[in-house]
Amino acid sequence: MTDNSKSIVSLARENVQQLTPYQSARRLGGNGDVWLNANEYATAPRFELTAQTLNRYPESQPVEVVRRYAAYAKVQPEQVLVCRGADESIELLIRAFCEPGKDAILYCPPTYGMYSVSAETFGVEGRTVMAKADWQLDVPAIEQALDGVKLVYICSPNNPTGQLINPDDIRAVLEMTRGKAVVAVDEAYIEFCPQATVSGWLEDYPHLAILRTLSKAFALAGLRCGFTLANVELIDVLNKVIAPYPLATPVADIAAQALSDEGLAVMRQRVAEVTETRQWLQQELEDCDCVEEVFTSEANYLLVRMTASASVFKTLWNQGIILRDQNRQPSLSGCLRITIGTRQECQRVLDALRPLPGASSSVNENRCASKEPM
């Protein structure tokens, strides 16, 4: 690093200088042709742009997108905020409700990594309460840790473990945080288990925020379009800190098409296909010698504990099959996450795994051999 570079770095906020950025799938690279590390849909949908107003700034909150998503989610339009992916929702909540250096957020590892990164970016404490052995919430421990907490994140279905969080536990957290903190339930994968949404609870809990996205079941990860569902008072607060034009005109155009009756029908067909492939892949994986356990999932991925997982990860990487290593997540030693791709892509995974032996390997190898962050 040159002296000039050092001087620029020294101008950054101290917490930013120390920050390790979130290691997204694209940051991690790889030269694969089977990409099963980012929970994307395997093939691209086709859309034609209909809006021809690129000379004008877009609507702050595109009316048709808001209207259609509200109808889809069975909420009122005034309970919907459109943003640049659910990741922006995570940040908006921290910016709106947490005082840097004073307040804290709380989340329960193993879970999505952007909660901690976003908090650290804004100089807000990230407080953790470890999930129980079955990856459900430790509700008594959460209650003991709430002093100074302004925001609680709960991911359900949880990424990367795939299981639904017990709704009674979510309700218990909502009850204990009344008047004290906002509870954000991250439902990025809810299309794969729509019966589990808590959107019907908004009337009962003014401090509930629900995070949604078009990245997963809608196959639009590249669009960067997400939503916050909440009561009007909470939405009004977020509107004070959101960018004036969060969605580009082409993004709003495609999002509205994806949320049409035809678009919703295609999405539901896609979910059925992914669910069927997931069930098939789980059965097939259980017959592989190197697989110790395949965990039940309600999302578009499977978490798999493998013998010598670091070696398995590298072997598949070298064959152009890119998975997500979860060894650095608490309680996930030996675990890899596999996105549900096409049947052919999943078969590639199986063909690569079946020759691998199931010989025992130390926990330390699984924890330390892989260099891929969570």
Side-chain angles (χ1 to χ4, degrees):
M1 185 181 293
T2 67
D3 289 341
N4 285 340
S5 297
K6 289 179 181 177
S7 67
I8 293 298
V9 171
S10 68
L11 292 175
R13 287 163 40 211
E14 185 176 350
N15 67 304
V16 173
Q17 293 181 42
Q18 305 301 320
L19 180 65
T20 299
Y22 179 70
Q23 296 300 298
S24 67
R26 293 301 168 264
R27 276 186 193 261
L28 291 167
N31 296 309
D33 60 329
V34 177
W35 293 92
L36 303 179
N37 64 337
N39 300 340
E40 304 150 317
Y41 187 67
T43 58
R46 296 186 64 85
F47 292 93
E48 298 291 335
L49 294 181
T50 61
Q52 300 298 325
T53 57
L54 298 182
N55 59 311
R56 302 295 184 190
Y57 286 109
E59 297 175 278
S60 175
Q61 287 291 298
V63 173
E64 193 64 8
V65 176
V66 169
R67 184 186 69 80
R68 290 185 177 184
Y69 200 84
Y72 162 66
K74 297 182 174 57
V75 298
Q76 297 303 310
E78 57 269 23
Q79 294 177 301
V80 176
L81 185 75
V82 188
C83 49
R84 291 170 289 202
D87 286 339
E88 186 178 32
S89 293
I90 293 168
E91 290 197 352
L92 288 174
L93 288 164
I94 295 173
R95 286 167 55 198
F97 289 98
C98 297
E99 291 279 358
K102 175 183 176 184
D103 298 325
I105 70 163
L106 186 147
Y107 56 96
C108 301
T111 193
Y112 184 40
M114 276 304 295
Y115 309 140
S116 62
V117 171
S118 294
E120 193 171 351
T121 299
F122 293 109
V124 170
E125 177 192 351
R127 191 173 302 173
T128 59
V129 173
M130 294 300 302
K132 297 189 295 186
D134 59 357
W135 299 322
Q136 291 295 328
L137 302 181
D138 187 340
V139 175
I142 290 173
E143 188 167 23
Q144 291 298 312
L146 284 177
D147 186 38
V149 169
K150 278 288 199 67
L151 184 55
V152 178
Y153 288 101
I154 299 172
C155 190
S156 182
N158 187 43
N159 176 17
T161 57
Q163 95 284 2
L164 287 169
I165 301 301
N166 185 330
D168 291 337
D169 291 345
I170 298 176
R171 195 177 287 277
V173 173
L174 282 162
E175 291 293 346
M176 68 179 63
T177 52
R178 280 187 186 273
K180 301 176 183 176
V182 172
V183 176
V185 179
D186 188 339
E187 293 189 344
Y189 299 91
I190 201 63
E191 278 76 23
F192 298 96
C193 48
Q195 75 285 352
T197 181
V198 297
S199 59
W201 298 8
L202 287 173
E203 185 175 347
D204 298 327
Y205 298 105
H207 58 306
L208 170 62
I210 300 167
L211 313 185
R212 298 282 193 89
T213 183
L214 298 187
S215 294
K216 311 303 180 184
F218 285 88
L220 290 171
L223 198 67
R224 307 313 301 133
C225 182
F227 304 86
T228 304
L229 309 181
N231 288 299
V232 176
E233 293 79 10
L234 199 156
I235 294 293
D236 286 345
V237 173
L238 297 183
N239 261 317
K240 294 182 177 182
V241 297
I242 196 171
Y245 310 111
L247 255 61
T249 296
V251 173
D253 186 353
I254 293 172
Q257 295 177 52
L259 292 165
S260 66
D261 290 343
E262 180 183 357
L264 292 174
V266 171
M267 178 273 290
R268 291 182 176 114
Q269 181 180 354
R270 194 180 291 126
V271 167
E273 166 211 315
V274 169
T275 301
E276 181 180 356
T277 301
R278 185 189 71 208
Q279 293 169 345
W280 165 78
L281 179 61
Q282 178 165 358
Q283 293 173 350
E284 295 295 316
L285 284 169
E286 288 169 349
D287 290 333
C288 295
D289 288 344
C290 63
V291 171
E292 297 178 7
E293 187 171 4
V294 185
F295 298 97
T296 300
S297 172
E298 298 290 344
N300 65 339
Y301 53 86
L302 288 169
L303 186 70
V304 184
R305 179 163 279 131
M306 297 189 182
T307 301
S309 69
S311 298
V312 172
F313 178 83
K314 187 174 187 300
T315 297
L316 270 65
W317 178 284
N318 291 340
Q319 295 181 41
I321 303 168
I322 313 300
L323 309 183
R324 187 72 159 177
D325 189 351
Q326 297 294 333
N327 271 288
R328 294 190 180 188
Q329 283 259 37
S331 79
L332 299 189
S333 176
C335 288
L336 304 179
R337 192 190 68 195
I338 306 174
T339 302
I340 307 303
T342 65
R343 185 68 70 105
Q344 292 75 21
E345 289 174 333
C346 293
Q347 188 63 56
R348 282 273 302 275
V349 173
L350 294 169
D351 292 343
L353 290 178
R354 281 177 174 144
L356 299 179
S360 62
S361 177
S362 71
V363 170
N364 284 337
E365 177 189 352
N366 281 329
R367 281 183 175 164
C368 303
S370 173
K371 300 300 183 185
E372 184 187 9
M374 65 185 183

